[in-house]
Amino acid sequence: MAILEIKDLHKEYGGNTVLKSINAGVEEGDVIAILGPSGTGKSTLLRELNMLEHPTSGAVIFDGQDITQANEAQLDKIRQELGMVFQSFNLFPNMTVLDNVKIALVKVKGVADSEATKTAEKFLAKVGVADKANVYPASLSGGQQQRVAIARALAMNPKIMLFDEPTSALDPEMVGEVLKTMRELALEGMTMLVVTHEMGFAREVASKIWFMSDGEMTAYNTPNNFFENSDSERVQSFLAKML
Amino acid sequence: MKKWVKKLVMLAMTVGLVMSSGLGIVGISSVSAAQSDPTLDRIKKSGKLVVGTSADYAPYEFHTTENGKDKIVGFDIAAAREIGKQLGVKTEIQEMSFDALLGAVKTGKVDVVVAGMTETPERAQEVNFSKPYFVDKNVVLTLKENKDKWATLDQLRSAKLAAQVSSKQDDLAHELTDKNVVSLKKITDEVTQLTQKKVDGVVVASTTAKSYLEQSNQFAVSPAKLPGISNGSSVVMNKNATVLQAKIDKILDDHIIGAPLKKMQDDAIKQMNKQESFFQKYAPYFIKGTGYTIGLAVIGVLFGIILGIIFALMKLSSVKVLRWLAAAYIEAVRGVPLLIQVFIVYFGTQAIGLNVSSFLAGAIAMFLNSGAYVAEIIRSGIQAVPNGQTEAARSLGFTKGQTMRYMVLPQAIKNILPALGNEFVTVIKEGSVVSVIGVGELTFQTSVVQGASFKPFIPLMITAVIYFILTFGISRLLNLFEKKLRKSDKTLG
């Protein structure tokens, strides 16, 4: 059964149609790479899956509930289940790395402080930045910051992880360490949706490809179907530019 | 602040008056009308004689500094203290402008007025006058170099004359000249205008003129014989103070008129011409003014912050009406000069029937103004926190309020604090504007010293230096503080 279902999703911005009738389903354990040229609505689609942006029409069914109809209080609950990692990391600069990971556990989930510390330390170790627990984010490299951001999202024990171009803001030498962390996560069976321009990652790690072009989305059941067997002109021209 | 306290004291005294007159009614059968009157009752009850005066009329009454402290002295004051002593009560001097004195004695804010005031038919309808304790004639004080130009009454007809507003000299000046009379509240201002040649002569009592002649050789007295000969200075009291009046007349006869008054006058002139350095004499004015200036700025910014937070939150709210109201207020306040706002508050409160002191009106105008600027500082500080911070927090399940509290505000404060410091510096400087409504802050005191010392420039320089020390000192402190904030950013994160 699909853990997440997108039904006839539309998005308009001041007369511009960004998303035209998106329909798709996400199964548990799926690793979906969302690919496509810039400005075709990939990030918009992802941000509508946890209601950071509200669709103009359509439905997003998560765990049997249409979250486009949820009120603010319900959304606060739902968002705990949908971890999100941003292009620009968005760590809280006024808190230590440990507190960045802990604070939502303590203030949102109401976990006891000592337990939250343990959980946070566990996830920081998992992403390989345990030694940075007590420094502030500004002293970390971009790659380290993004891994902390992943640990922060993971600590909430989400059902799905949403990645919005997680390596686009990184220096090239840092991209590898973040992709490695994501690959490990995928191998553990985490359900992931990843907006990315990393074709290698998409080909090797993703189980499905969603190709977005001009606000329309085509789903491919395997990376191979997309990379090797698509006869779509749009896909061909996109791949020609990317590879 | 002192004026404000004064208002309170006056209010308390008015209440006291009402209560004591009430008690008077109760006690009417036991106290014969010939033995007391309401004013005397009040004096006895409070144990003090409250004397109103306008202390800019040397050597009658004027400010001086004794051991660095500002004091009101003069032969009128010495006489008033003698009256208090003979009545067996303490004497308290209350200063106000000359044109406010009659109102004060009529409403009971003061018990008597001793201010070289002369009886006129108009005044006699309003208040009671004691017998004159000192008779002085009026003269025209002019510059020595122009003495011959203004030597006769005919010549004076074309002179531009100054006199103290609503004084007898003011009436006389109108009779003397065909030109408009410059009516000023303070004699020191009139004399400054004379030295700056903005007026040709000042109509004053001869005693006053004499003291100016002794102070500086640039002055002379016009030899023209003025009509309306003399001013008999009397003690002024309420119409109801009939018993008090008889007592005071007797005290004047027994203890003041004659040799005692002569000695008081000699003492006063000595005090007036006391050799003192400029600084010794006027430092208290600058210190007082600086205190008021800082006080105004602190009130302005503190209440401004409260108002600013409210308007900033309104402007960031999702309710359209609130946003619109806040925007309208901020734009209106920022689009109108502070000077106009000060006048609007000062006269506006009067118009709606609130008798607000000038300090309070000034402080209100300052914080209403500052609030608009602080609102923008806070709003932009909050909006300067990247939206990604909010998105990250919301995606973790934080509510709007929690996001504001844990993520946005702690980061916004770092943007806001330095800007608030700058606003404090701005408010210190802008405080000078409220001098227009008579708040005794630094700029106001400067003009007082300019007038009293006949030195227009030095007081300005001193004031400039004080302002600079205040503002520069504060911005240095702020810089240190900002550095510390930045340093903590670096070492910790």
Side-chain angles (χ1 to χ4, degrees), chain A residues 47 50 52 72 76 79-80 82 84 86 90-95 103-104 107-108 135-139 152-153 156, chain B residues 386-400 402 405-407 410-411 414 488-493:
Chain A
R47 292 157 63 84
N50 68 352
L52 279 187
E72 282 290 318
D76 290 335
R79 288 190 181 118
Q80 297 174 37
L82 297 162
M84 187 153 196
F86 300 85
N90 294 345
L91 294 182
F92 308 127
N94 53 323
M95 300 174 201
I103 186 163
K107 303 293 181 188
V108 177
V135 303
Y136 283 80
S139 67
R152 179 174 69 178
M156 297 297 283
Chain B
N387 195 34
Q389 292 290 309
T390 303
E391 290 191 342
R394 298 307 302 277
S395 77
L396 287 166
F398 283 97
T399 64
K400 239 183 192 174
Q402 285 177 320
R405 181 170 156 202
Y406 296 116
M407 286 81 196
Q411 295 182 53
K414 280 193 184 179
S488 77
D489 271 0
K490 260 183 208 151
T491 51
L492 294 173

Side-chain angles (χ1 to χ4, degrees), chain B residues 193-408:
Chain B
Q193 294 230 351
L194 178 65
T195 58
Q196 291 173 350
K197 297 184 180 153
K198 289 187 174 145
V199 298
D200 302 315
V202 181
V203 183
V204 287
S206 68
T207 318
T208 310
K210 207 167 95 194
S211 46
Y212 274 101
L213 290 181
E214 285 188 26
Q215 222 172 41
S216 160
N217 58 9
Q218 63 178 324
F219 300 113
V221 168
S222 162
K225 288 267 169 283
L226 306 189
I229 15 151
S230 62
N231 313 303
S233 297
S234 297
V235 178
V236 182
M237 62 214 96
N238 197 290
K239 275 270 176 214
N240 66 22
T242 46
V243 179
L244 180 65
Q245 186 183 347
K247 279 185 186 260
I248 286 179
D249 279 348
K250 188 157 171 15
I251 292 170
L252 289 173
D253 273 337
D254 295 352
H255 299 279
I256 292 171
I257 295 171
L261 187 69
K262 182 81 186 71
K263 186 178 177 307
M264 288 172 189
Q265 285 175 332
D266 289 346
D267 287 350
I269 291 182
K270 233 180 276 165
Q271 256 176 321
M272 202 178 81
N273 296 330
K274 188 167 54 171
Q275 287 303 312
E276 258 184 331
S277 74
F278 178 86
F279 204 72
Q280 262 182 318
K281 210 166 180 178
Y282 298 113
Y285 295 86
F286 290 107
I287 291 166
K288 195 170 145 199
T290 305
Y292 271 86
T293 290
I294 293 174
L296 269 177
V298 168
I299 293 175
V301 170
L302 278 189
F303 284 89
I305 286 173
I306 296 169
L307 198 67
I309 289 173
I310 294 169
F311 279 118
L313 291 179
M314 280 170 70
K315 216 174 171 189
L316 293 170
S317 108
S318 50
V319 182
K320 206 172 178 180
V321 179
L322 292 182
R323 277 206 312 268
W324 189 87
L325 275 176
Y329 179 83
I330 290 166
E331 292 308 321
V333 167
R334 295 204 303 178
V336 176
L338 177 60
L339 180 64
I340 304 299
Q341 291 170 16
V342 169
F343 278 130
I344 289 176
V345 171
Y346 189 53
F347 296 121
T349 47
Q350 203 72 37
I352 58 174
L354 291 173
N355 184 12
V356 172
S357 77
S358 55
F359 180 84
L360 199 53
I364 291 171
M366 294 286 281
F367 85 71
L368 287 180
N369 181 273
S370 185
Y373 289 90
V374 171
E376 282 300 276
I377 289 170
I378 292 174
R379 180 199 56 77
S380 66
I382 287 174
Q383 287 187 335
V385 176
N387 195 34
Q389 292 290 309
T390 303
E391 290 191 342
R394 298 307 302 277
S395 77
L396 287 166
F398 283 97
T399 64
K400 239 183 192 174
Q402 285 177 320
T403 303
M404 193 51 106
R405 181 170 156 202
Y406 296 116
M407 286 81 196
V408 177

Side-chain angles (χ1 to χ4, degrees), chain B residues 30 34 63 94 102 190-191 243 271 328 388 408 419 424 453 467 486:
Chain B
S30 62
H63 282 268
Q94 273 208 15
L102 285 184
E190 296 154 26
V191 176
V243 179
Q271 256 176 321
V408 177
F424 189 61
S453 67
Y467 272 122
R486 254 181 279 140

